[in-house]
């Protein structure tokens, strides 16, 4: 019997996307985000999640969504990527989806070569499509390095401001 692929499903706009469940650490409500000067447009800033400074990427902006309103359904999907935690803002995240391998189309069957290379497949699930993502390709090496710098500079600011409080 085929082993089902388990993904965490989330929405951006009207589309459902999925990330491997093994990458997702937790899903949290959107807290106050501290902006970081000179960060790219899609990096919202950083949050302090139980003492850990985590950079926040707005996947809606990263995917070119034109308009979105803050909503109480918005969530941050905290993922572990190459030993670093990154938060991804999405419109909503709620479910673990189980997709049989036979219901997953390979990306080269759906998209042209090189086009949208961050998609690992398109799953068919109960009459809807789930776009399966490769986060390593969405956040290229330079961007990951930039996220590290954002988190490091925010951590330094946080430590120095704490020292002033005493």
């Amino acid at each position: 019997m085929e082993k089902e692929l388990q993904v965490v499903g989330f929405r951006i706009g009207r589309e459902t996307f999925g990330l491997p469940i093994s990458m997702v650490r937790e899903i949290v409500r959107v807290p106050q985000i501290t902006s970081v000067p000179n960060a790219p447009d899609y990096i919202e800033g950083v949050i302090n999640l139980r003492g850990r400074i985590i950079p926040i990427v707005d996947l809606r902006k990263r995917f070119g969504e034109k308009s979105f309103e803050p909503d109480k359904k918005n969530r941050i999907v905290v993922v572990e990527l190459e030993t670093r935690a990154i938060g991804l803002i999405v419109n909503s995240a709620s479910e673990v989806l189980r997709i049989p391998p036979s219901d997953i189309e390979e990306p080269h069957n759906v998209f042209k070569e090189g086009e949208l290379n961050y998609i690992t497949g398109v799953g068919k699930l109960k009459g809807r499509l789930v776009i399966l993502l490769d986060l390593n390709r969405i956040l290229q090496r330079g961007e990951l390095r930039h996220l590290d710098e954002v988190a490091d500079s925010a951590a330094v600011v946080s430590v120095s401001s704490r020292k002033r409080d005493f």
Side-chain angles (χ1 to χ4, degrees):
M1 189 169 140
E2 299 177 278
K3 182 139 173 71
E4 293 178 319
L5 176 65
Q6 291 188 22
V7 297
V8 173
F10 59 90
R11 295 185 71 83
I12 295 176
R14 296 186 319 229
E15 308 307 326
T16 301
F17 294 88
L19 287 172
I21 196 167
S22 61
M23 295 185 81
V24 177
R25 295 294 155 242
E26 62 186 300
I27 298 170
V28 298
R29 293 183 188 273
V30 180
Q32 181 174 341
I33 298 173
T34 302
S35 62
V36 178
N38 302 319
D41 180 47
Y42 59 88
I43 296 178
E44 287 296 309
V46 293
I47 63 170
N48 182 341
L49 187 63
R50 290 183 291 287
R52 191 172 179 191
I53 303 295
I54 298 176
I56 303 298
V57 173
D58 193 330
L59 274 189
R60 302 168 301 185
K61 289 181 182 177
R62 188 71 176 93
F63 287 172
E65 282 284 309
K66 299 294 181 252
S67 62
F68 40 85
E69 295 293 320
D71 186 317
K72 64 183 184 203
K73 291 181 187 174
N74 294 163
R75 293 291 181 264
I76 293 180
V77 178
V78 180
V79 297
E80 197 77 30
L81 187 61
E82 297 178 5
T83 71
R84 64 176 63 87
I86 299 171
L88 308 170
I89 296 181
V90 299
N91 287 2
S92 64
S94 59
E95 55 194 331
V96 173
L97 307 172
R98 291 172 171 77
I99 306 172
S102 59
D103 288 342
I104 297 173
E105 287 285 330
E106 294 296 318
H108 62 266
N109 293 341
V110 181
F111 304 105
K112 292 180 183 155
E113 191 69 34
E115 178 182 77
L116 305 176
N117 68 350
Y118 54 83
I119 295 176
T120 60
V122 178
K124 297 176 271 187
L125 186 67
K126 297 177 185 159
R128 64 181 172 155
L129 298 178
V130 179
I131 300 169
L132 306 174
L133 301 174
D134 180 345
L135 263 187
N136 285 310
R137 290 189 178 148
I138 292 173
L139 302 172
Q140 287 94 24
R141 299 286 166 249
E143 293 170 330
L144 288 173
R145 196 168 36 256
H146 197 82
L147 287 172
D148 282 344
E149 292 166 5
V150 164
D152 290 346
S153 66
V156 166
V157 168
S158 174
V159 167
S160 66
S161 67
R162 259 188 263 139
K163 285 181 181 174
R164 281 195 310 259
D165 291 344
F166 292 109

